[in-house]
């Protein structure tokens, strides 16, 4: 491939991705060693690097710039704003993501991506291998990269989706399974999900090479089984969450309920709709009376 | 016949998109106007659609350079609204993180100044050596930029003794970089020649346009929120407010260069006196009412106003960023300046248009257009 000339275009981001692209120019990262130069006019460029979610005001300029880029006209979206609008998703002046306006070839997720990730991604696009030591790629402990969900630990409660700052985590209830989906192309990597998770199932790892050509593929999923109601048979709640709650309440908080473990478990397996029906109230009432008497006894 | 010259909006020399309309006669700028809004994202509206906790990440993304200080100001204001007292250790940790951010922001500014003055050697050296702070941030907080370190009620990650030792090591390697920058700014330095007497903002004019931060301190006004209205642990730390009298770009650079030493002093003191204890407390319920908080960001005074209606979502959040206050200083400084110096003058306030584009000021009149390359 001929010399790569990059033109940067920023529209409605926070500027951090731009700083990281500039950072790639310093000798330590050596973007220039890959035969890449950053040019100041779109007419001289053949690669367009986009950052930011795209605003109404920048739309015309973006289309003009795209027209002026020389073939092969490769467009790379750097950072999550330019992939999915990220945290600015519902902002009123935001019209992006830019792939709605112009065709985008590659996406580099991150908020912002590390310079190492940008360098590696550009090298991958060019088909070049970078000779660097282990030390260069290493991330420190506690680095906030791509998520990992431990299928054993995850109870499917959806606390991560509740706290998520950018609506990156979805909870999708199917007929039998619940899917917890982390769209890391939409993520701010704030790690609130990691802090909030009651079972430490979700964790941000040191994986940061996330180059993709399909933004929809940028996700991590976990499936949990849903419990079916013992009366109507419909699914309503993750199985593991009930077990977790039961364990917490019966075994840890109120040990005297231990004898009634099975009774409570059985009544928890009735879905809210059935629980409200008159014919089922009697059964619940007996259980509650037993439990309260048991709790009152010294 | 005066002629109109447009700078921007999309010019890679200026880091972010903005547009300046200069009225030029010969080589001299007579009048200047600016048009913003290319970075407008509707953040203040977005603030009112998320919970107090979620807004931390949004406040962080107002600006990607001074991201930490935005979360600090936001968190402090919300803490007052909730009546939460932050643990003593968290206050010291906040000072350490924010002074590290000031260091990285000031060094970045010197890098950009060197770039705009075409001092490529200085640019490469400053930007290259500045990397060590970014690495430190990654080690301390888990990310190079947007560190998500402040939370409502404290900070999220502690500084252990080995981390403290690492910070001290980084400060030792940064002192020579500050010395190098000071050498560029002394009487024979390369920066001095190109910045002395450029873009003068006299003291009374600086006060009149409401400039803040290093821009104001470079014009001889000793104004620093860390001293005037201390927050976090700044009232217990000893440091000096740097003031330079000249008001030109050189004075602003000198203020920033000398401030890097003060920041190092603050970090060392805070590390020495770090009290034991928790690093955060549980946030409470927001009371109905309103609060204003202010901090000294690397670029100047940053103000947050938050109104609460008692729910977990704020009713109104207003942000006054330092770059917004300083923009009017640019227009003042550009008047009477040579066209060739325009870029240096614009960069001299360390403009951060991601911060500023909250209010759209549109004033484009038809006129003769000419795009010039600023070199």
């Amino acid at each position: 491939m001929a010399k790569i000339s990059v033109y940067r275009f920023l529209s409605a981001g926070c500027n951090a991705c731009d700083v990281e692209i500039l950072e790639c120019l310093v000798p330590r990262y050596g973007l220039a060693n890959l035969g890449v130069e950053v040019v100041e006019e779109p007419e001289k460029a053949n690669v367009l690097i986009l950052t930011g979610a795209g605003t109404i005001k920048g739309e015309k300029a973006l289309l003009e710039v795209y027209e002026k880029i020389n073939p092969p006209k490769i467009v790379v979206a750097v950072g999550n704003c330019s992939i999915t609008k990220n945290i600015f998703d519902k902002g009123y002046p935001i019209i992006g993501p830019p792939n709605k306006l112009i065709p985008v070839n590659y996406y580099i997720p991150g908020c912002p991506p590390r310079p190492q990730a940008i360098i590696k991604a550009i090298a991958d696009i060019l088909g070049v291998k970078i000779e660097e030591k282990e030390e260069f790629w290493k991330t420190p402990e506690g680095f906030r990269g791509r998520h990992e969900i431990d299928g054993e630990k995850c109870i499917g409660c959806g606390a991560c989706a509740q706290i998520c700052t950018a609506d990156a985590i979805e909870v999708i209830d199917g007929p039998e399974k619940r899917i917890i989906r982390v769209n890391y192309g939409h993520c701010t990597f704030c790690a609130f999900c990691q802090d909030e998770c009651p079972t430490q199932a979700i964790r941000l790892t040191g994986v940061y090479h996330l180059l993709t050509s399909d933004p929809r593929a940028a996700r991590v999923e976990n499936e949990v089984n849903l419990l079916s109601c013992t009366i109507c048979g419909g699914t309503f709640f993750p199985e593991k969450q009930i077990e977790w709650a039961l364990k917490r309440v019966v075994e840890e908080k109120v040990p005297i309920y231990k004898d009634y473990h099975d009774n409570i478990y059985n009544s928890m397996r009735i879905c809210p709709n059935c629980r409200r029906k008159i014919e089922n109230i009697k059964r619940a009432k007996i259980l509650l009376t037993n439990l309260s008497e048991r709790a009152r006894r010294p | 016949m005066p002629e109109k010259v447009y700078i921007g909006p999309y010019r890679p020399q200026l880091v972010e998109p903005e547009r300046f309309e200069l009225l030029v006669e010969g080589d001299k700028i007579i009048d200047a106007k600016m048009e913003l809004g290319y970075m407008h994202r509707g953040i203040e509206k977005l603030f009112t659609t998320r919970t107090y906790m979620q807004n931390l990440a949004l406040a962080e993304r107002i600006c990607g350079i001074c991201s930490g200080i935005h979360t600090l100001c936001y968190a402090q204001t919300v803490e007052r609204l909730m009546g939460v007292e932050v643990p003593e250790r968290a206050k010291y940790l906040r000072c350490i993180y924010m002074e590290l951010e000031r260091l990285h922001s000031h060094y970045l500014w010197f890098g950009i100044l060197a770039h705009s003055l075409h001092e490529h050697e200085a640019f490469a050296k400053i930007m290259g050596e500045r990397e060590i702070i970014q690495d430190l941030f990654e080690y301390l907080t888990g990310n190079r930029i947007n560190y998500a370190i402040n939370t409502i009620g404290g900070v999220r990650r502690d500084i252990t003794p080995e981390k403290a030792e690492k910070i001290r090591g980084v400060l030792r390697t940064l002192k020579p970089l500050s010395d190098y920058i000071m050498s560029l700014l002394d009487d024979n330095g390369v920066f001095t020649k190109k910045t002395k007497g450029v873009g003068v903002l006299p003291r009374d004019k600086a006060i009149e346009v409401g400039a803040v931060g290093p821009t104001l301190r470079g014009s001889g006004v000793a104004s620093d929120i860390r001293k005037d209205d201390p927050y976090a642990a700044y009232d217990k730390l000893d440091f000096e407010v740097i003031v330079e009298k000249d008001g030109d770009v050189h004075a602003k650079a000198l203020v920033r260069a000398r401030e890097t030493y003060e920041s190092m002093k603050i970090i060392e003191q805070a590390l020495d006196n770090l009290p034991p204890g928790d690093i955060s407390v549980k946030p409470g319920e927001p009371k109905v009412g309103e609060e204003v908080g202010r901090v000294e960001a690397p670029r100047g005074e940053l103000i947050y106003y938050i109104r609460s209606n008692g729910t977990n979502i704020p009713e109104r959040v207003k942000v006054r960023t330092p770059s917004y206050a300083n923009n009017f200083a640019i227009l003042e400084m550009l008047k009477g300046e040579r066209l060739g110096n325009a870029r240096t003058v614009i960069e001299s306030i360390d403009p951060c248009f991601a911060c500023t584009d909250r209010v759209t000021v549109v004033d484009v009149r038809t006129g003769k257009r000419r795009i010039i390359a600023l070199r």
Side-chain angles (χ1 to χ4, degrees):
Chain A
M1 202 169 180
K3 195 164 171 58
I4 307 295
S5 308
V6 172
Y7 181 78
R8 293 182 298 123
F9 186 92
L10 165 69
S11 176
C14 75
N15 207 3
C17 295
D18 261 70
V19 175
E20 294 292 52
I21 294 167
L22 278 183
E23 212 64 78
C24 289
L25 294 170
V26 305
R28 179 178 161 195
Y29 299 111
L31 189 62
N33 298 346
L34 296 172
V36 178
E37 57 165 3
V38 176
V39 294
E40 299 185 344
E41 271 115 37
E43 290 88 350
K44 290 179 188 163
N46 51 15
V47 172
L48 178 62
I49 287 190
L50 295 173
T51 56
T55 61
I56 301 172
K57 215 168 172 180
E59 182 185 6
K60 209 175 131 224
L62 174 61
L63 296 174
E64 276 173 15
V65 164
Y66 180 71
E67 280 305 306
K68 286 178 189 164
I69 300 284
N70 296 315
K73 257 195 220 258
I74 295 175
V75 183
V76 184
V78 175
N80 283 353
C81 287
S82 57
I83 300 173
T84 57
K85 302 188 276 188
N86 200 358
I87 199 160
F88 307 118
D89 202 344
K90 294 183 179 70
Y92 56 84
I94 306 288
I95 48 156
N99 63 8
K100 265 194 199 162
L101 307 171
I102 58 169
V104 177
N105 305 77
Y106 298 100
Y107 303 84
I108 308 178
C111 192
R114 283 183 108 192
Q116 284 95 326
I118 300 174
I119 292 285
K120 175 82 170 15
I122 290 173
D124 283 353
I125 294 169
L126 298 175
V128 190
K129 209 171 170 310
I130 305 177
E131 302 286 332
E132 286 287 355
K133 291 193 191 77
E134 184 85 344
E135 201 63 12
F136 178 77
W137 303 110
K138 223 178 82 187
T139 54
E141 201 186 327
F143 179 79
R144 304 196 303 268
R146 194 184 69 193
H147 312 66
E148 184 184 83
I149 306 178
D150 188 335
E152 290 288 301
K153 284 184 185 166
C154 179
I155 55 172
C157 64
C160 45
Q162 286 271 323
I163 192 72
C164 184
T165 54
D167 302 329
I169 305 179
E170 292 173 279
V171 176
I172 306 152
D173 279 347
E176 278 168 13
K177 302 225 173 198
R178 170 179 279 188
I179 300 170
I180 306 285
R181 180 180 293 164
V182 183
N183 299 303
Y184 60 79
H186 202 312
C187 174
T188 56
F189 297 93
C190 63
F192 277 145
C193 48
Q194 184 178 318
D195 292 1
E196 286 300 309
C197 183
T199 58
Q200 286 84 47
I202 192 164
R203 198 170 68 85
L204 270 67
T205 61
V207 179
Y208 63 93
H209 294 303
L210 306 172
L211 174 71
T212 173
S213 52
D214 178 14
R216 276 165 302 178
R219 64 195 187 194
V220 179
E221 283 182 353
N222 185 43
E223 275 186 354
V224 288
N225 287 330
L226 287 178
L227 199 67
S228 54
C229 172
T230 45
I231 294 175
C232 69
T235 54
F236 68 103
F237 214 62
E239 227 167 55
K240 280 184 177 170
Q241 192 181 350
I242 294 232
E243 281 163 22
W244 176 79
L246 204 62
K247 196 163 163 255
R248 247 169 89 87
V249 173
V250 177
E251 292 172 16
E252 289 166 19
K253 300 275 171 184
V254 198
I256 43 174
Y257 282 176
K258 220 168 201 169
D259 302 349
Y260 290 89
H261 182 283
D262 292 348
N263 282 5
I264 300 174
Y265 182 60
N266 287 339
S267 64
M268 273 174 132
R269 296 189 53 166
I270 302 167
C271 72
N273 286 340
C274 292
R275 225 177 280 166
R276 287 191 202 105
K277 282 183 186 154
I278 297 203
E279 59 263 34
N280 298 324
I281 286 181
K282 206 175 161 192
R283 189 153 57 154
K285 219 174 176 178
I286 295 167
L287 176 78
L288 283 174
T289 323
N290 282 345
L291 285 179
S292 56
E293 271 174 15
R294 174 85 182 160
R296 245 181 269 131
R297 228 176 287 159
Chain B
M1 170 65 194
E3 196 178 4
K4 273 183 190 159
V5 175
Y6 294 88
I7 303 175
Y10 287 96
R11 299 202 65 77
Q13 298 104 327
L14 303 172
V15 178
E16 289 169 70
E18 70 279 350
R19 183 187 169 96
F20 288 92
E21 186 186 328
L22 309 177
L23 202 61
V24 179
E25 201 163 54
D27 191 27
K28 209 172 163 197
I29 301 167
I30 306 169
D31 201 0
K33 287 196 182 71
M34 73 192 305
E35 184 198 346
L36 301 167
Y38 291 93
M39 292 287 282
H40 184 69
R41 287 154 289 170
I43 286 184
E44 286 180 8
K45 173 69 186 152
L46 285 174
F47 266 123
T48 61
T49 62
R50 289 156 201 265
T51 64
Y52 283 99
M53 273 307 252
Q54 289 174 333
N55 278 338
L56 278 166
L58 187 61
E60 188 148 57
R61 277 156 189 80
I62 287 178
C63 170
I65 303 170
C66 46
S67 55
I69 201 86
H70 275 274
T71 59
L72 176 63
C73 192
Y74 172 78
Q76 280 183 349
T77 314
V78 174
E79 278 154 14
R80 275 218 286 280
L81 211 51
M82 292 180 172
V84 174
E85 184 58 36
V86 179
E88 211 46 26
R89 187 179 176 85
K91 288 182 179 171
Y92 276 79
L93 291 175
R94 281 178 169 179
C95 286
I96 295 171
Y97 289 123
M98 291 310 114
E99 290 308 315
L100 280 172
E101 180 174 271
R102 195 181 312 277
L103 281 175
H104 112 73
S105 178
H106 280 2
Y107 288 134
L108 179 69
W109 182 79
F110 279 109
I112 291 170
L113 180 72
H115 198 253
S116 72
L117 296 174
H118 299 277
E119 295 294 338
H120 298 297
E121 195 188 321
F123 170 75
K125 185 172 163 68
I126 294 168
M127 292 298 276
E129 295 198 9
R130 178 186 159 275
E131 270 293 296
I132 191 167
I133 313 181
Q134 303 302 103
D135 285 350
L136 182 67
F137 266 124
E138 199 171 48
Y139 170 72
L140 294 173
T141 70
N143 210 348
R144 293 161 50 87
I145 303 178
N146 295 344
Y147 357 94
I149 190 68
N150 290 306
T151 183
I152 298 165
V155 293
R156 291 175 67 195
R157 291 193 189 187
D158 203 356
I159 291 182
T160 55
E162 56 264 36
K163 283 184 176 172
E165 207 36 60
K166 179 120 182 188
I167 297 173
R168 285 202 177 91
V170 167
L171 293 185
R172 274 195 293 276
T173 45
L174 282 176
K175 277 213 172 87
L177 180 61
S178 281
D179 294 341
Y180 169 74
I181 290 170
M182 285 303 275
S183 79
L184 293 176
L185 288 167
D186 68 13
D187 289 345
N188 302 319
V190 281
F191 281 2
T192 311
K193 271 182 281 175
K194 294 181 181 173
T195 58
K196 196 98 186 156
V198 172
V200 179
L201 183 69
R203 186 190 152 97
D204 49 343
K205 209 77 197 171
I207 296 171
E208 191 188 314
V209 295
V212 292
T215 310
L216 183 60
R217 290 197 285 276
S219 295
V221 183
S223 155
D224 192 322
I225 306 302
R226 291 175 292 172
K227 269 273 194 273
D228 302 344
D229 183 10
Y231 55 94
Y234 283 112
D235 49 346
K236 297 178 196 79
L237 300 167
D238 172 48
F239 64 98
E240 199 189 324
V241 177
I242 306 293
V243 181
E244 290 287 335
K245 288 195 296 294
D246 294 352
D248 52 5
V249 177
H250 182 258
K252 293 180 187 58
L254 213 51
V255 167
R256 287 192 175 89
R258 287 173 57 197
E259 270 182 11
T260 58
Y261 292 106
E262 293 300 316
S263 292
M264 288 178 204
K265 211 165 95 186
I266 293 171
I267 296 167
E268 274 163 8
Q269 279 176 55
L271 284 174
D272 290 341
N273 303 322
L274 202 58
D278 289 337
I279 56 163
S280 65
V281 290
K282 219 173 171 314
E285 298 276 315
K287 291 193 270 296
V288 178
E290 52 185 8
E291 274 293 347
V292 179
R294 55 177 185 167
V295 296
E296 183 75 20
R299 292 163 178 74
E301 182 187 27
L302 169 67
I303 303 174
Y304 267 70
Y305 163 83
I306 302 174
R307 191 166 71 222
S308 157
N309 52 8
T311 60
N312 64 344
I313 293 170
E315 197 175 59
R316 175 81 170 98
V317 178
K318 168 89 188 98
V319 189
R320 207 298 310 270
T321 57
S323 290
Y324 186 66
N326 281 337
N327 273 335
F328 304 101
I330 300 188
L331 302 183
E332 216 40 66
M333 282 147 69
L334 279 174
K335 282 174 199 164
E337 196 49 64
R338 272 178 52 238
L339 188 55
N341 287 334
R343 186 181 163 204
T344 311
V345 170
I346 292 168
E347 293 291 0
S348 77
I349 68 146
D350 200 356
C352 174
F353 290 92
C355 283
T356 303
D357 280 2
R358 224 162 309 285
V359 183
T360 319
V361 186
V362 186
D363 187 358
V364 187
R365 277 179 291 169
T366 47
K368 195 176 159 194
R369 290 179 181 218
R370 174 161 75 102
I371 299 284
I372 56 144
L374 285 172
R375 289 185 201 285

